[in-house]
Amino acid sequence: MNHRSHDLPIVVALAAVAVAAALLPAPAVARAAFALPLVLVLPGYALTAAAFRGRALGLAEWVAFSGGLSLAVAALGGFALTWSPAGLQAGSWATLLGGITLAGSAAAWRRRRREAPPIAPRRVAPGLGQGLLLGLAGLIAAGALGLAATGAAQQETAGFSQLWLLAADRAAAPAVRVGLQSGEPAATRYHLVVIAEGEVLGDWPALDLAPGERWETAVALSAERADAVTVEALLYRLDEPARVYRRAQLWRDR
Amino acid sequence: MCSAAVARAPPSPAGSPAGLAARGVLMVVSPQLVGVVSRGRRGRRPAYGDARLDAAGAVAWGALPALSLVGALGLLAVAGAYTGARVGAAWATPLFWAGLLVLFAPGAARLVTPGAARAERLGLVALLGLGLYLVKVLHSPLAFTYHDEFLHWRTASDLLQDGRLFGANPLLPASPVYPGLENVTGALVALSGLTIFQAGVVVVGAARLVLALALFLFYEVVGGSARVAGIATFLYMANPNFVFFNAQFAYESLALPFAILVLCALARRTGAEDCGALTGVAILGLGATIVTHHVTTYALVAFLVLWSAVAHFRRGAGAEQVDPAGLALLALVASLAWLVYAASLTLGYLAPHLTSGVRELLRIIAGEEAGRQLFRPYAGQANPPWERLIGLAAVGLPLLGLPWGLRQVWRRRRADAFALTLAAGALAYPAGLALRLTQFGAEASSRTAAFLFVALAFVLALGVAEAWRRWPRPSTAAACAGLAAVMLVGGVIVNTGSSARLLPGAYLVAADARSIEPQSVAAAEWARRALGPGHRFAADRTNRLLLGSYGEQYVVNGLADRVGVSWVFFSSAFGPAERAALRQARVRYLLIDRRLSDGLPLVGFYFEAGEPGTFQHATPLDPTALAKFDVQERVSRVFDSGDVVIYDLRAVTDEP
């Protein structure tokens, strides 16, 4: 890095924008884009710039120290925040990391004012062909990620349906909560029956659920069944009406 | 001295990408034909034929762009293998190995040869480090699936919800008192709005880059050569834990880079202008290591103490060394202080892992036990012959190379206390292998590889460099890279245990990542939504992870609760003893996964180590034992999703 260049103002500006994006309403992409350097790069970069003088560090040293120190600052910074009134929240993290970045940058600026700029190694940018190769490599790697993610998302798994039966604790009158959710690959039609000691409390002969859809309802117990010990829910699929597909049973407190 | 024919550094290359790619390949295959050389940095001739930077510090990219392209193609093959594995394609496993080798071997071969400039070597180690990390990311690109990831996800989730550290994590009680990883991840989640999974992938990826570069910089100082540094770094990456275990969202994945950063800073203090700054980096890195992972801390402390001892005895030899004793003492005191005041849970967590293995080893030596059968998984087919051979080679090759490398350390680096310390550390590698013969110690033994390879890789690298010095031919580079690739592949085989666990695919019983599937995840999410968080559940190993993470439940287990209930699941009756055990453990809900009776547990147990028949199950769990709760009075069957059933035991255990 050229120590007489504009790296410190850029660092401070990035930190300021990241802090603002964290504290103020901002688009999600912008928040994420600026949060990444605030957590992973900027505090360590500022500390590295403040601590190291004299000969210029190489790019590898800058990356290793900036990244490593940023991670270390965040790993340790949580301890300071946990004992603060604010705790570990976006605002307190932004303040801490932004503050460290600012303090480190200020210290680095003061040091550089006193010292002669070191000789930085001249770097040669990749040529066009090399750049194209690197770009192509990046594209292929991104394609690999896309392929893997698509494969994972589309992996076939066995469908399932959930049935549950719980006490409706907050109901004014004795009642139970019954529900189902479809994890089937296609829209499914169900028949649900809720029974308390032989009496049908509820019968839903044709419940249609799309994949991922949830249905839930409270079922009141009749006066005659208010003291029923057991309540049972039986779920059938209409394509197999004779087989109990799912079963739930609730033992009620007397 | 390297006798490779070299040419003047060419001008910044122009030309077609295809031509550049071909040239890059040629650089790897035959460095004598196409080389990069420049004058030495300080006018000295490097001992191992390093390529030199020109006086103006120009950076030559060399074969890096071409090898980046090759590496990306390797990643694409790995992604294709994973996708094929999900549909049961027979070509998936061979394609995976091919992709891994394409990613690793060409870069490794290039690093052995002297033709690469320092910057190219740095680029290659960064490429290899990140590329191998992406192999793990591609396996699970959408959500956590590895066992330890769920443990730390719970800590991170609690931290974000509570806004405070030191919550309780029933999945891994020690995790909240080593919250370094969760601090960093929590900061990124809070500031960016990313999910814990997304932030975790980014954090561990950033840590991986730091690890690769810090390792290189560390080895460069100790080895006196960028070429030795590159070789040692890629040999380190061939350790069994590098591709998967140390790439997961777990505390060791972040602590290791911190520890290496400490070593890097300390090594560079010798003769440095910025000694104070480097000491500051070391102290900050030490503090971060201590609050991130216990075992990494102890490994670092042990190394620093050993280094201090070696430096003390070498001081009279006239070598100029920065005294490490001060920092070693600081590390010892700080780590003990953390252990005593904040992390006393650690001993209870670590001790059983070590003592069980050592006890078992002693019984094997005494002839009282037969020992673990190698390459025979607890379920499924035994490893095919080629996997066994490669697995044995992965362990044997470092043993074979060790004497040769140690000789080079003695011949060329014995004035350097750091180098001698690494040599001493490498000697611990054979000793640690003995625990692999035990059931309970095998995992502990495999975990040591990440630490011991820091030393072992350096020693082996000196051996590789010497081999090139004596036989400077492309075949030497190919052979060294090939042997390193064998170590890499064999290490993956040894660590994963069976091909079934290596690639994604259909559900398998008690198979860690292969057991994570939508029905169980949905059941855990239902528990959180319908029951609320924090209820006491008992469940099998896989569903416990999901209930504890997705479900935010308290999952009863022997580690956290010091009470075992796993035997209840095996029992054919639900009598007074079973009820008393569940009452003592204060279990409110039981989750039964009926698929457990479909097969043997791939990891050796269904619920937790120590259950009846651990590591020795010959028949699957009895389905009637799992179904016994259906016919019990006062036991409510509150949830049914086909394979997963949840029972409410409030009437039995009186647990609210």
Side-chain angles (χ1 to χ4, degrees), chain B residues 97 100-101 238 386 390-391 394 484-494:
Chain B
W97 293 125
L100 193 64
L101 290 173
W386 78 267
I390 299 286
V486 167
M487 283 169 52
L488 177 76
V489 170
V492 170
I493 290 170
V494 167

Side-chain angles (χ1 to χ4, degrees), chain A residues 93-106:
Chain A
W93 275 118
T95 304
L96 175 73
L97 298 177
I100 290 174
T101 303
L102 185 62
S105 300

Side-chain angles (χ1 to χ4, degrees), chain A residues 18 21-22 28 31-33 35-36 38-40 47 51-55 57-61 63-79 81-91 93-94 97 111 120-134 136-138 140-141 143-153 155-167 169 177 181 214 216 229 245-254, chain B residues 12-13 15-18 20-21 54 56-59 61-62 64-66 68-69 72-73 75-76 79-80 82-83 86 118 122 134 137-139 141-142 159-160 162-166 177 179-181 183-184 186-194 202-203 206-207 209-210 213-214 217 220 254 258 261 264-265 268 273-274 277-278 280-281 284-285 287-288 291-292 338 504-506 517-519 522-523 526 529-531 630 632-643 650-651:
Chain A
R31 274 187 71 195
L36 285 170
L38 182 61
V39 176
L40 301 177
L47 291 176
F52 289 90
R53 58 182 178 177
R55 70 172 176 86
L57 293 176
L59 179 61
E61 287 86 343
V63 174
F65 291 155
S66 297
L69 290 179
S70 293
L71 292 170
V73 160
L76 292 165
F79 291 90
L81 296 182
T82 199
W83 287 304
S84 72
L88 288 89
Q89 309 290 343
W93 275 118
L97 298 177
R111 163 163 281 172
R122 182 169 63 88
R123 291 190 171 80
V124 177
L128 178 63
Q130 291 180 319
L132 284 173
L133 281 177
L134 289 170
L136 186 59
I140 292 174
L145 273 169
L147 176 61
T150 303
Q155 179 175 352
E156 282 192 13
T157 55
F160 59 92
S161 301
Q162 298 177 333
L163 172 71
W164 60 89
L165 184 66
L166 298 168
D169 294 324
R177 284 190 294 139
Q181 179 160 348
R214 187 190 316 148
E216 191 169 17
V229 176
Y245 188 52
R246 299 286 183 261
R247 185 178 71 85
Q249 184 183 49
L250 187 65
W251 286 77
R252 299 178 64 245
D253 296 330
R254 285 194 178 274
Chain B
S12 185
S16 70
L20 285 165
D54 67 27
V59 169
W61 291 76
L64 182 62
S68 298
L69 181 62
L73 290 171
L75 281 177
L76 189 64
Y82 289 149
T83 303
R86 293 183 193 278
R118 180 178 182 267
L122 278 161
L134 287 177
V137 174
L138 293 176
H139 179 286
L142 301 179
L159 185 155
L160 284 162
D162 301 339
R164 303 284 170 192
L165 298 180
F166 308 124
V177 291
L181 172 69
N183 276 340
V184 181
L188 191 55
V189 170
L191 292 170
S192 67
L194 295 173
V202 171
V203 168
L209 179 61
V210 169
L213 295 177
L217 295 172
E220 186 179 36
L254 182 61
F258 285 148
L261 193 69
C264 171
R268 294 172 77 88
E273 296 175 358
D274 301 306
L278 289 164
V281 171
L284 205 56
V291 303
T292 301
W338 190 249
E517 52 73 56
Q519 187 178 165
W526 173 85
R529 191 183 64 247
L531 304 178
D630 278 338
Q632 303 301 324
E633 276 201 14
R634 314 300 303 170
V635 173
S636 296
R637 182 186 165 108
V638 295
F639 175 91
D640 181 3
S641 67
D643 295 312
R650 184 166 70 170

